[in-house]
PDB file of all heavy atoms in Angstrom:
ATOM      1  N   ASP A   5      78.903  56.988 111.865  1.00  0.00           N
ATOM      2  CA  ASP A   5      80.073  56.990 110.869  1.00  0.00           C
ATOM      3  C   ASP A   5      79.753  57.991 109.786  1.00  0.00           C
ATOM      4  O   ASP A   5      80.725  58.673 109.400  1.00  0.00           O
ATOM      5  CB  ASP A   5      80.401  55.595 110.285  1.00  0.00           C
ATOM      6  CG  ASP A   5      80.908  54.690 111.363  1.00  0.00           C
ATOM      7  OD1 ASP A   5      81.507  55.108 112.341  1.00  0.00           O
ATOM      8  OD2 ASP A   5      80.694  53.400 111.240  1.00  0.00           O
ATOM      9  N   ILE A   6      78.558  58.097 109.286  1.00  0.00           N
ATOM     10  CA  ILE A   6      78.225  59.082 108.272  1.00  0.00           C
ATOM     11  C   ILE A   6      78.472  60.413 108.826  1.00  0.00           C
ATOM     12  O   ILE A   6      79.015  61.320 108.173  1.00  0.00           O
ATOM     13  CB  ILE A   6      76.817  58.828 107.767  1.00  0.00           C
ATOM     14  CG1 ILE A   6      76.632  57.491 106.976  1.00  0.00           C
ATOM     15  CG2 ILE A   6      76.390  59.979 106.922  1.00  0.00           C
ATOM     16  CD1 ILE A   6      75.296  57.093 106.593  1.00  0.00           C
ATOM     17  N   ARG A   7      77.995  60.627 110.107  1.00  0.00           N
ATOM     18  CA  ARG A   7      78.176  61.937 110.731  1.00  0.00           C
ATOM     19  C   ARG A   7      79.654  62.343 110.801  1.00  0.00           C
ATOM     20  O   ARG A   7      79.975  63.465 110.521  1.00  0.00           O
ATOM     21  CB  ARG A   7      77.595  61.800 112.208  1.00  0.00           C
ATOM     22  CG  ARG A   7      78.071  62.768 113.274  1.00  0.00           C
ATOM     23  CD  ARG A   7      77.121  63.951 113.407  1.00  0.00           C
ATOM     24  NE  ARG A   7      77.429  64.915 112.327  1.00  0.00           N
ATOM     25  CZ  ARG A   7      76.373  65.581 111.701  1.00  0.00           C
ATOM     26  NH1 ARG A   7      75.194  65.380 112.058  1.00  0.00           N
ATOM     27  NH2 ARG A   7      76.649  66.408 110.742  1.00  0.00           N
ATOM     28  N   LYS A   8      80.526  61.408 111.106  1.00  0.00           N
ATOM     29  CA  LYS A   8      81.982  61.628 111.118  1.00  0.00           C
ATOM     30  C   LYS A   8      82.474  62.127 109.687  1.00  0.00           C
ATOM     31  O   LYS A   8      83.304  63.033 109.677  1.00  0.00           O
ATOM     32  CB  LYS A   8      82.787  60.436 111.558  1.00  0.00           C
ATOM     33  CG  LYS A   8      82.671  60.151 113.128  1.00  0.00           C
ATOM     34  CD  LYS A   8      83.365  58.875 113.471  1.00  0.00           C
ATOM     35  CE  LYS A   8      82.989  58.438 114.786  1.00  0.00           C
ATOM     36  NZ  LYS A   8      83.565  57.007 115.133  1.00  0.00           N
ATOM     37  N   LEU A   9      82.075  61.466 108.754  1.00  0.00           N
ATOM     38  CA  LEU A   9      82.550  61.820 107.372  1.00  0.00           C
ATOM     39  C   LEU A   9      81.984  63.263 106.948  1.00  0.00           C
ATOM     40  O   LEU A   9      82.836  64.071 106.470  1.00  0.00           O
ATOM     41  CB  LEU A   9      81.978  60.752 106.245  1.00  0.00           C
ATOM     42  CG  LEU A   9      82.648  59.451 106.367  1.00  0.00           C
ATOM     43  CD1 LEU A   9      81.800  58.428 105.518  1.00  0.00           C
ATOM     44  CD2 LEU A   9      84.089  59.452 105.857  1.00  0.00           C
ATOM     45  N   ILE A  10      80.770  63.526 107.351  1.00  0.00           N
ATOM     46  CA  ILE A  10      80.224  64.778 107.044  1.00  0.00           C
ATOM     47  C   ILE A  10      81.016  65.924 107.868  1.00  0.00           C
ATOM     48  O   ILE A  10      81.278  66.944 107.284  1.00  0.00           O
ATOM     49  CB  ILE A  10      78.677  64.846 107.381  1.00  0.00           C
ATOM     50  CG1 ILE A  10      77.886  63.940 106.367  1.00  0.00           C
ATOM     51  CG2 ILE A  10      78.230  66.251 107.390  1.00  0.00           C
ATOM     52  CD1 ILE A  10      76.436  63.798 106.662  1.00  0.00           C
ATOM     53  N   ASP A  11      81.237  65.593 109.126  1.00  0.00           N
ATOM     54  CA  ASP A  11      81.955  66.585 109.871  1.00  0.00           C
ATOM     55  C   ASP A  11      83.348  66.898 109.357  1.00  0.00           C
ATOM     56  O   ASP A  11      83.771  68.102 109.314  1.00  0.00           O
ATOM     57  CB  ASP A  11      82.065  66.099 111.303  1.00  0.00           C
ATOM     58  CG  ASP A  11      80.769  66.094 112.113  1.00  0.00           C
ATOM     59  OD1 ASP A  11      79.718  66.762 111.574  1.00  0.00           O
ATOM     60  OD2 ASP A  11      80.646  65.524 113.231  1.00  0.00           O
ATOM     61  N   GLU A  12      83.998  65.879 108.825  1.00  0.00           N
ATOM     62  CA  GLU A  12      85.283  66.081 108.242  1.00  0.00           C
ATOM     63  C   GLU A  12      85.272  66.998 107.068  1.00  0.00           C
ATOM     64  O   GLU A  12      86.030  67.877 106.829  1.00  0.00           O
ATOM     65  CB  GLU A  12      85.932  64.730 107.848  1.00  0.00           C
ATOM     66  CG  GLU A  12      87.307  64.695 107.371  1.00  0.00           C
ATOM     67  CD  GLU A  12      87.825  63.322 107.086  1.00  0.00           C
ATOM     68  OE1 GLU A  12      87.487  62.334 107.794  1.00  0.00           O
ATOM     69  OE2 GLU A  12      88.516  63.201 106.045  1.00  0.00           O
ATOM     70  N   TYR A  13      84.286  66.741 106.213  1.00  0.00           N
ATOM     71  CA  TYR A  13      84.154  67.537 104.960  1.00  0.00           C
ATOM     72  C   TYR A  13      83.615  68.939 105.253  1.00  0.00           C
ATOM     73  O   TYR A  13      83.920  69.913 104.629  1.00  0.00           O
ATOM     74  CB  TYR A  13      83.276  66.819 103.925  1.00  0.00           C
ATOM     75  CG  TYR A  13      84.014  65.819 103.096  1.00  0.00           C
ATOM     76  CD1 TYR A  13      84.515  64.619 103.694  1.00  0.00           C
ATOM     77  CD2 TYR A  13      84.270  65.989 101.829  1.00  0.00           C
ATOM     78  CE1 TYR A  13      85.254  63.683 102.953  1.00  0.00           C
ATOM     79  CE2 TYR A  13      84.937  65.034 101.083  1.00  0.00           C
ATOM     80  CZ  TYR A  13      85.469  63.823 101.631  1.00  0.00           C
ATOM     81  OH  TYR A  13      86.118  63.012 100.917  1.00  0.00           O
ATOM     82  N   SER A  14      82.619  68.987 106.102  1.00  0.00           N
ATOM     83  CA  SER A  14      81.967  70.357 106.392  1.00  0.00           C
ATOM     84  C   SER A  14      83.021  71.238 107.075  1.00  0.00           C
ATOM     85  O   SER A  14      82.965  72.517 106.889  1.00  0.00           O
ATOM     86  CB  SER A  14      80.687  70.191 107.141  1.00  0.00           C
ATOM     87  OG  SER A  14      80.944  69.613 108.456  1.00  0.00           O
ATOM     88  N   ALA A  15      83.908  70.729 107.935  1.00  0.00           N
ATOM     89  CA  ALA A  15      84.969  71.579 108.599  1.00  0.00           C
ATOM     90  C   ALA A  15      85.822  72.263 107.431  1.00  0.00           C
ATOM     91  O   ALA A  15      86.239  73.454 107.707  1.00  0.00           O
ATOM     92  CB  ALA A  15      85.895  70.747 109.434  1.00  0.00           C
ATOM     93  N   GLY A  16      85.945  71.637 106.327  1.00  0.00           N
ATOM     94  CA  GLY A  16      86.706  72.273 105.229  1.00  0.00           C
ATOM     95  C   GLY A  16      85.860  73.072 104.238  1.00  0.00           C
ATOM     96  O   GLY A  16      86.249  73.306 103.171  1.00  0.00           O
ATOM     97  N   ARG A  17      84.649  73.176 104.607  1.00  0.00           N
ATOM     98  CA  ARG A  17      83.587  73.854 103.644  1.00  0.00           C
ATOM     99  C   ARG A  17      83.445  73.188 102.347  1.00  0.00           C
ATOM    100  O   ARG A  17      83.191  73.783 101.372  1.00  0.00           O
ATOM    101  CB  ARG A  17      83.807  75.348 103.654  1.00  0.00           C
ATOM    102  CG  ARG A  17      83.773  76.069 104.938  1.00  0.00           C
ATOM    103  CD  ARG A  17      83.789  77.615 104.847  1.00  0.00           C
ATOM    104  NE  ARG A  17      83.008  78.209 103.679  1.00  0.00           N
ATOM    105  CZ  ARG A  17      81.714  78.470 103.713  1.00  0.00           C
ATOM    106  NH1 ARG A  17      81.004  78.060 104.615  1.00  0.00           N
ATOM    107  NH2 ARG A  17      81.176  79.062 102.619  1.00  0.00           N
ATOM    108  N   ARG A  18      83.643  71.811 102.307  1.00  0.00           N
ATOM    109  CA  ARG A  18      83.392  71.059 101.151  1.00  0.00           C
ATOM    110  C   ARG A  18      82.017  70.438 101.001  1.00  0.00           C
ATOM    111  O   ARG A  18      81.658  69.847 100.039  1.00  0.00           O
ATOM    112  CB  ARG A  18      84.569  70.073 100.962  1.00  0.00           C
ATOM    113  CG  ARG A  18      85.931  70.693 100.794  1.00  0.00           C
ATOM    114  CD  ARG A  18      86.961  69.656 100.535  1.00  0.00           C
ATOM    115  NE  ARG A  18      87.054  68.993 101.963  1.00  0.00           N
ATOM    116  CZ  ARG A  18      87.682  67.865 102.000  1.00  0.00           C
ATOM    117  NH1 ARG A  18      88.234  67.152 101.002  1.00  0.00           N
ATOM    118  NH2 ARG A  18      87.825  67.241 103.279  1.00  0.00           N
ATOM    119  N   LEU A  19      81.372  70.488 102.181  1.00  0.00           N
ATOM    120  CA  LEU A  19      80.100  69.792 102.247  1.00  0.00           C
ATOM    121  C   LEU A  19      79.273  70.565 103.311  1.00  0.00           C
ATOM    122  O   LEU A  19      79.804  71.037 104.344  1.00  0.00           O
ATOM    123  CB  LEU A  19      80.208  68.320 102.763  1.00  0.00           C
ATOM    124  CG  LEU A  19      79.089  67.319 102.594  1.00  0.00           C
ATOM    125  CD1 LEU A  19      78.820  67.110 101.112  1.00  0.00           C
ATOM    126  CD2 LEU A  19      79.628  65.996 103.166  1.00  0.00           C
ATOM    127  N   LEU A  20      78.010  70.700 103.099  1.00  0.00           N
ATOM    128  CA  LEU A  20      77.135  71.324 104.012  1.00  0.00           C
ATOM    129  C   LEU A  20      76.908  70.472 105.296  1.00  0.00           C
ATOM    130  O   LEU A  20      76.740  69.271 105.137  1.00  0.00           O
ATOM    131  CB  LEU A  20      75.709  71.594 103.415  1.00  0.00           C
ATOM    132  CG  LEU A  20      75.634  72.693 102.332  1.00  0.00           C
ATOM    133  CD1 LEU A  20      74.226  72.766 101.735  1.00  0.00           C
ATOM    134  CD2 LEU A  20      76.038  74.032 102.818  1.00  0.00           C
ATOM    135  N   GLN A  21      76.956  71.170 106.381  1.00  0.00           N
ATOM    136  CA  GLN A  21      76.694  70.492 107.656  1.00  0.00           C
ATOM    137  C   GLN A  21      75.170  70.023 107.709  1.00  0.00           C
ATOM    138  O   GLN A  21      74.378  70.658 107.091  1.00  0.00           O
ATOM    139  CB  GLN A  21      76.940  71.329 108.854  1.00  0.00           C
ATOM    140  CG  GLN A  21      76.801  70.932 110.228  1.00  0.00           C
ATOM    141  CD  GLN A  21      77.773  69.673 110.430  1.00  0.00           C
ATOM    142  OE1 GLN A  21      77.322  68.563 110.353  1.00  0.00           O
ATOM    143  NE2 GLN A  21      78.895  70.030 110.741  1.00  0.00           N
ATOM    144  N   LYS A  22      74.900  68.892 108.261  1.00  0.00           N
ATOM    145  CA  LYS A  22      73.538  68.405 108.469  1.00  0.00           C
ATOM    146  C   LYS A  22      73.318  67.983 109.804  1.00  0.00           C
ATOM    147  O   LYS A  22      74.226  67.546 110.424  1.00  0.00           O
ATOM    148  CB  LYS A  22      73.350  67.130 107.505  1.00  0.00           C
ATOM    149  CG  LYS A  22      73.479  67.425 106.019  1.00  0.00           C
ATOM    150  CD  LYS A  22      72.697  66.472 105.218  1.00  0.00           C
ATOM    151  CE  LYS A  22      72.993  66.674 103.837  1.00  0.00           C
ATOM    152  NZ  LYS A  22      71.811  66.929 103.066  1.00  0.00           N
ATOM    153  N   GLU A  23      72.109  68.226 110.284  1.00  0.00           N
ATOM    154  CA  GLU A  23      71.760  67.862 111.647  1.00  0.00           C
ATOM    155  C   GLU A  23      71.667  66.308 111.691  1.00  0.00           C
ATOM    156  O   GLU A  23      71.156  65.655 110.813  1.00  0.00           O
ATOM    157  CB  GLU A  23      70.384  68.439 111.951  1.00  0.00           C
ATOM    158  CG  GLU A  23      70.375  69.966 112.054  1.00  0.00           C
ATOM    159  CD  GLU A  23      71.267  70.549 113.156  1.00  0.00           C
ATOM    160  OE1 GLU A  23      71.556  69.846 114.169  1.00  0.00           O
ATOM    161  OE2 GLU A  23      71.760  71.617 112.963  1.00  0.00           O
ATOM    162  N   THR A  24      71.995  65.801 112.853  1.00  0.00           N
ATOM    163  CA  THR A  24      71.971  64.283 112.999  1.00  0.00           C
ATOM    164  C   THR A  24      70.509  63.736 112.807  1.00  0.00           C
ATOM    165  O   THR A  24      70.401  62.708 112.174  1.00  0.00           O
ATOM    166  CB  THR A  24      72.513  63.926 114.370  1.00  0.00           C
ATOM    167  OG1 THR A  24      73.916  64.450 114.477  1.00  0.00           O
ATOM    168  CG2 THR A  24      72.579  62.452 114.469  1.00  0.00           C
ATOM    169  N   VAL A  25      69.564  64.486 113.305  1.00  0.00           N
ATOM    170  CA  VAL A  25      68.149  63.996 113.138  1.00  0.00           C
ATOM    171  C   VAL A  25      67.806  63.846 111.709  1.00  0.00           C
ATOM    172  O   VAL A  25      67.082  63.020 111.233  1.00  0.00           O
ATOM    173  CB  VAL A  25      67.158  64.941 113.906  1.00  0.00           C
ATOM    174  CG1 VAL A  25      67.095  66.329 113.266  1.00  0.00           C
ATOM    175  CG2 VAL A  25      65.870  64.340 113.965  1.00  0.00           C
ATOM    176  N   THR A  26      68.339  64.855 110.829  1.00  0.00           N
ATOM    177  CA  THR A  26      68.084  64.815 109.367  1.00  0.00           C
ATOM    178  C   THR A  26      68.639  63.598 108.828  1.00  0.00           C
ATOM    179  O   THR A  26      68.096  62.899 107.862  1.00  0.00           O
ATOM    180  CB  THR A  26      68.610  66.070 108.697  1.00  0.00           C
ATOM    181  OG1 THR A  26      68.072  67.203 109.309  1.00  0.00           O
ATOM    182  CG2 THR A  26      68.398  66.111 107.178  1.00  0.00           C
ATOM    183  N   LEU A  27      69.880  63.252 109.274  1.00  0.00           N
ATOM    184  CA  LEU A  27      70.578  61.963 108.734  1.00  0.00           C
ATOM    185  C   LEU A  27      69.696  60.727 109.085  1.00  0.00           C
ATOM    186  O   LEU A  27      69.449  59.864 108.188  1.00  0.00           O
ATOM    187  CB  LEU A  27      71.878  61.849 109.321  1.00  0.00           C
ATOM    188  CG  LEU A  27      72.887  62.956 108.940  1.00  0.00           C
ATOM    189  CD1 LEU A  27      74.168  62.804 109.697  1.00  0.00           C
ATOM    190  CD2 LEU A  27      73.040  63.046 107.463  1.00  0.00           C
ATOM    191  N   TYR A  28      69.226  60.574 110.194  1.00  0.00           N
ATOM    192  CA  TYR A  28      68.268  59.519 110.641  1.00  0.00           C
ATOM    193  C   TYR A  28      67.065  59.487 109.758  1.00  0.00           C
ATOM    194  O   TYR A  28      66.593  58.521 109.313  1.00  0.00           O
ATOM    195  CB  TYR A  28      67.996  59.491 112.133  1.00  0.00           C
ATOM    196  CG  TYR A  28      69.086  58.992 112.960  1.00  0.00           C
ATOM    197  CD1 TYR A  28      69.766  59.777 113.809  1.00  0.00           C
ATOM    198  CD2 TYR A  28      69.427  57.589 112.875  1.00  0.00           C
ATOM    199  CE1 TYR A  28      70.838  59.263 114.600  1.00  0.00           C
ATOM    200  CE2 TYR A  28      70.381  57.037 113.722  1.00  0.00           C
ATOM    201  CZ  TYR A  28      71.132  57.977 114.574  1.00  0.00           C
ATOM    202  OH  TYR A  28      72.139  57.380 115.401  1.00  0.00           O
ATOM    203  N   GLU A  29      66.457  60.679 109.552  1.00  0.00           N
ATOM    204  CA  GLU A  29      65.234  60.864 108.782  1.00  0.00           C
ATOM    205  C   GLU A  29      65.380  60.380 107.375  1.00  0.00           C
ATOM    206  O   GLU A  29      64.478  59.968 106.668  1.00  0.00           O
ATOM    207  CB  GLU A  29      64.731  62.232 108.826  1.00  0.00           C
ATOM    208  CG  GLU A  29      64.127  62.686 110.137  1.00  0.00           C
ATOM    209  CD  GLU A  29      63.789  64.168 110.229  1.00  0.00           C
ATOM    210  OE1 GLU A  29      64.279  64.924 109.309  1.00  0.00           O
ATOM    211  OE2 GLU A  29      63.052  64.567 111.088  1.00  0.00           O
TER     212      GLU A  29
END
């Protein structure tokens, strides 16, 4: 779910994209 939120914001260049492995870490 966090991944979905990040994807929504990063698509609009409002948030940096993060690798899923980084989110788990």
Side-chain angles (χ1 to χ4, degrees):
D5 289 334
I6 292 171
R7 159 94 283 139
K8 288 177 192 170
L9 289 167
I10 292 170
D11 289 348
E12 184 177 326
Y13 277 70
S14 64
R17 295 191 40 82
R18 295 179 292 162
L19 199 60
L20 290 174
Q21 184 60 259
K22 296 203 182 236
E23 297 296 333
T24 303
V25 67
T26 303
L27 297 175
Y28 280 110
E29 290 172 344

